[in-house]
Amino acid sequence: MSRGAEANRSDSVAQKPDADDRSQQQVEQVVAQLKARDREVRTHEMAHVAAGGQYVTSGPSYSYQTGPDGQRYAVGGSVGIDTSPVRDDPEATIQKARQVIAAAMAPSEPSSTDRQVASQASQMAMQASAELASERSESRSEDTSDSDDADNQVSDRSVETSQMNVIDEREQPDRLSQKVEQGTERMEGTMASEARNAFELRMMDQRLALIG
């Protein structure tokens, strides 16, 4: 064997460990990235769960990728959250929307889907606020109407009382006239009685004069 052939064999043997080292480094790098992604995804979804509370309907569920080391790593995830309004209760709907928004924006880096859910919840809260304002306006109108009815009733009673007072005042002159007439009759009776007494006294005086 020539010296040139021996030199080429030595170079190939020396290069093989270097290639293996680079390949191992790449594997380790990919695995490290997958591990970091797995932690990020799980932390992200658990933040949704913690903030969503009673409105979490499912999850967290994950999608996985198998790494060069043969392990499965989470690279995506989702959490189901109830975003429907509370029936016939705008105040409860507003409170629910606030919690849904908090759940959607809970991760340190919300995704585009998270922001979309928060936007929908915000619109739901605005609609519920409008419904609540309308209900309160109708309630105030009913209260005002009841108050007006009560005022009208008081006014009607006042008018009736005034009419009664007018009737009393109209009746008073008649009563006074009756009293005057009654008093006149009594006075005339008294005067007549006195006149009869005076006449009888005069007659007695005349009789006595005749007797004397």
Side-chain angles (χ1 to χ4, degrees), residues 34-42 62-65 72-77:
L34 288 173
K35 287 182 178 180
R37 177 59 181 171
D38 184 275
R39 288 192 299 268
E40 179 183 350
V41 169
R42 294 180 186 277
Y62 302 101
S63 58
Y64 296 92
Q65 178 177 330
R72 297 172 71 235
Y73 298 95
V75 293

Side-chain angles (χ1 to χ4, degrees), residues 70-83:
Q71 300 296 322
R72 297 172 71 235
Y73 298 95
V75 293
S78 63
V79 171
I81 296 180
D82 180 9
T83 59

Side-chain angles (χ1 to χ4, degrees), residues 26-45:
Q26 290 175 352
V27 169
E28 292 176 354
Q29 184 178 4
V30 170
V31 170
Q33 292 175 349
L34 288 173
K35 287 182 178 180
R37 177 59 181 171
D38 184 275
R39 288 192 299 268
E40 179 183 350
V41 169
R42 294 180 186 277
T43 301
H44 184 106
E45 302 307 327

Side-chain angles (χ1 to χ4, degrees), residues 8-56:
N8 290 334
R9 190 182 302 111
S10 298
D11 292 339
S12 63
V13 172
Q15 290 175 359
K16 189 175 180 179
D18 293 339
D20 291 341
D21 291 343
R22 285 195 299 270
S23 178
Q24 183 63 31
Q25 290 175 357
Q26 290 175 352
V27 169
E28 292 176 354
Q29 184 178 4
V30 170
V31 170
Q33 292 175 349
L34 288 173
K35 287 182 178 180
R37 177 59 181 171
D38 184 275
R39 288 192 299 268
E40 179 183 350
V41 169
R42 294 180 186 277
T43 301
H44 184 106
E45 302 307 327
M46 290 307 299
H48 287 317
V49 173
Q54 61 181 329
Y55 300 120
V56 174

